[in-house]
Amino acid sequence: MNATSTTPTRQSEATPFALPARSLEGVGKRPFGIYIHVPFCATRCGYCDFNTYTAGELGTSASPQSWLEGLRRELDLAAEMTGAPAAKTVFVGGGTPSLLGGDGLSDVLSAVRSSFGLASGAEVTTESNPESTSPEFFDALRSAGFTRISLGMQSAAQHVLKILDRTHTPGRAVAAAKEARAAGFSHVNLDLIYGTPGERDQDLDASLDAVLSADVDHVSAYALIVEDGTAMARKVRRGELPAPDDDVLASRYERIDSRLSEAGLHWYEVSNWAKAETADSGDTRCRHNLGYWDGGDWWGAGPGAHSHVGGVRWWNVKHPARYAEQLALGELPVGGSEDLTAEDEHMERVMLTARLRTGLPLSELSASERLSAEQVVVDGLAVIENDHVVLTDRGRLLADAVIRTILT
């Protein structure tokens, strides 16, 4: 199958948005989550291309209050359209959600409760910048009903943080993780970025030492990608910074996997590691992200947020002012959508499940794709476990190439 052979049916923002009846069939029976996008940041990091805005960039056109009012309206409209299935997971991302403070994030979760409600045992996560957290902040989140914290650490090396334009001090992320655990959060994640220009082996080792000292149950580690349009991309283009080196990135990934595995954190997705589940800890993996990877449904609320329900994907307008304006008129702030074909959904299923430790089911592959998968196994990039194609250690380094091979 040619991975680029189909073009989804697209709907422009000029067309009022409505989900077809077929996409609503089974809503609530499949995993259903809510993603909340907080578009505010104190400063703009040089590598970031997310839909975020500083106060200076927004001026008086939008505020956290107008955003929250819009968010409540969007969630109410979303619940009306979908039949309000109880959310099994909630993930507040950004941007910098912790800039809202404990009270602001409590208001966000209250808006989810009043529109969709939370399923029993729901996972409720918020991202946080270590510098905008405190013991009181974590206490407030715990009281509000949050169950999981994800902290942006990136690196323990000051000069690496400076290149990334991160404002937190190297030790603050570990301190924040310990404060979150002291507040009663058993599920705490630390994010790392590796391969930043100027990062040395000893810098990565220091970062891993710091992560392990925090005793968290989940770690995400992402290779630096220089995105077009970012300040970092301009520096690389001008020769002020070298581009990330693929061989260095591979070596760093292997080092991360080795250190985390030795410490009892095992990969369950190419860029994510978690401690083993126990009777006390429950599932330590990020259940919200597993919903994405396993083909579940989710409603993404907030400026620029993406959603997927029953084979229909859509995204909101990006600017917070326009987002609030459309909702004030009683309209969903949809900027565009696409109706996925069966071939599109199959391609995405292969792309996502192949990256999981549980692997890609052979039953979902066509005859030609199975032959391609067999070649991947012969090449040592995957093995067959319980009728699933599972990436080997070397295959994880070449995951994108493995997926292309299977799909073409």
Side-chain angles (χ1 to χ4, degrees):
M1 181 178 70
N2 188 332
T4 60
S5 62
T6 61
T7 301
T9 302
R10 289 179 176 266
Q11 174 175 297
S12 73
E13 61 182 302
T15 305
F17 180 74
L19 284 170
R22 61 163 181 76
S23 72
L24 292 170
E25 295 175 2
V27 169
K29 296 178 182 177
R30 299 180 294 268
F32 185 85
I34 302 288
Y35 172 74
I36 306 292
H37 186 71
V38 181
F40 309 110
C41 280
T43 60
R44 181 171 296 282
C45 298
Y47 64 92
C48 180
D49 71 338
F50 293 167
N51 186 47
T52 62
Y53 304 83
T54 64
E57 290 168 341
L58 283 174
T60 59
S61 66
S63 67
Q65 185 57 41
S66 65
W67 167 82
L68 181 59
E69 291 171 359
L71 180 72
R72 291 191 179 109
R73 293 190 181 103
E74 182 182 3
L75 290 172
D76 286 343
L77 291 171
E80 181 180 349
M81 180 176 287
T82 59
K88 295 180 179 178
T89 64
V90 178
F91 195 104
V92 186
T96 309
S98 49
L99 286 179
L100 299 177
D103 290 343
L105 285 169
S106 297
D107 289 342
V108 169
L109 189 53
S110 293
V112 175
R113 279 200 180 93
S114 66
S115 54
F116 283 91
L118 298 177
S120 176
E123 175 194 86
V124 184
T125 304
T126 184
E127 293 180 337
S128 298
N129 184 309
E131 291 293 346
S132 49
T133 65
S134 66
E136 294 75 21
F137 171 82
F138 293 120
D139 286 340
L141 294 189
R142 189 71 179 145
S143 297
F146 283 83
T147 66
R148 188 171 180 275
I149 300 294
S150 182
L151 293 158
M153 175 178 171
Q154 280 67 54
S155 176
Q158 182 66 61
H159 70 99
V160 173
L161 293 174
K162 184 176 181 180
I163 292 171
L164 293 171
D165 293 322
R166 296 290 295 185
T167 57
H168 64 269
T169 54
R172 178 56 202 155
V174 171
K178 291 179 178 179
E179 290 168 2
R181 288 179 56 78
F185 286 96
S186 56
H187 301 308
V188 180
N189 171 68
L190 284 172
D191 274 349
L192 289 176
I193 290 178
Y194 61 94
T196 300
E199 181 188 60
R200 303 162 300 180
D201 290 343
Q202 56 263 44
D203 297 325
L204 178 63
D205 284 339
S207 296
L208 291 168
D209 288 343
V211 165
L212 297 177
S213 75
D215 194 28
V216 295
D217 68 343
H218 193 285
V219 176
S220 300
Y222 304 102
L224 177 68
I225 297 175
V226 180
E227 302 284 2
D228 289 341
T230 61
M232 180 171 282
R234 291 189 289 274
K235 290 180 180 179
V236 170
R237 189 171 56 249
R238 293 193 298 261
E240 297 172 17
L241 288 175
D245 181 276
D246 288 342
D247 290 337
V248 171
L249 293 177
S251 174
R252 297 270 160 79
Y253 180 87
E254 290 174 331
R255 181 61 174 162
I256 291 168
D257 183 57
S258 175
R259 290 287 307 278
L260 294 180
S261 296
E262 289 171 1
L265 290 140
H266 301 288
W267 79 282
Y268 69 96
E269 192 275 341
V270 168
S271 298
N272 290 272
W273 291 258
K275 287 187 176 179
E277 179 177 350
T278 67
D280 292 332
S281 69
D283 196 345
T284 56
R285 302 172 301 173
C286 180
R287 287 157 45 200
H288 184 82
N289 286 344
L290 283 169
Y292 297 153
W293 299 325
D294 286 336
D297 295 330
W298 73 91
W299 192 289
H306 285 231
S307 304
H308 172 270
V309 172
V312 177
R313 182 165 51 216
W314 68 96
W315 48 93
N316 285 346
V317 296
K318 288 188 172 184
H319 199 281
R322 182 146 181 235
Y323 169 81
E325 288 166 2
Q326 287 193 224
L327 284 159
L329 296 173
E331 302 172 359
L332 282 171
V334 176
S337 66
E338 54 188 15
D339 196 345
L340 302 177
T341 67
E343 190 173 2
D344 297 324
E345 291 188 285
H346 172 74
M347 180 184 72
E348 293 196 359
R349 178 77 175 156
V350 170
M351 292 173 63
L352 294 172
T353 58
R355 294 176 59 88
L356 296 174
R357 177 64 183 84
T358 48
L360 171 63
L362 283 170
S363 60
E364 297 193 10
L365 300 180
S366 67
S368 63
E369 289 169 345
R370 285 195 184 201
L371 288 174
S372 297
E374 289 173 6
Q375 185 57 54
V376 168
V377 171
V378 170
D379 292 339
L381 301 177
V383 295
I384 304 299
E385 292 182 3
N386 301 318
D387 294 323
H388 285 62
V389 182
V390 178
L391 295 174
T392 61
D393 291 348
R394 181 165 169 261
R396 278 188 280 159
L397 296 174
L398 301 168
D400 291 343
V402 170
I403 292 165
R404 286 195 299 271
T405 297
I406 294 173
L407 287 171
T408 54

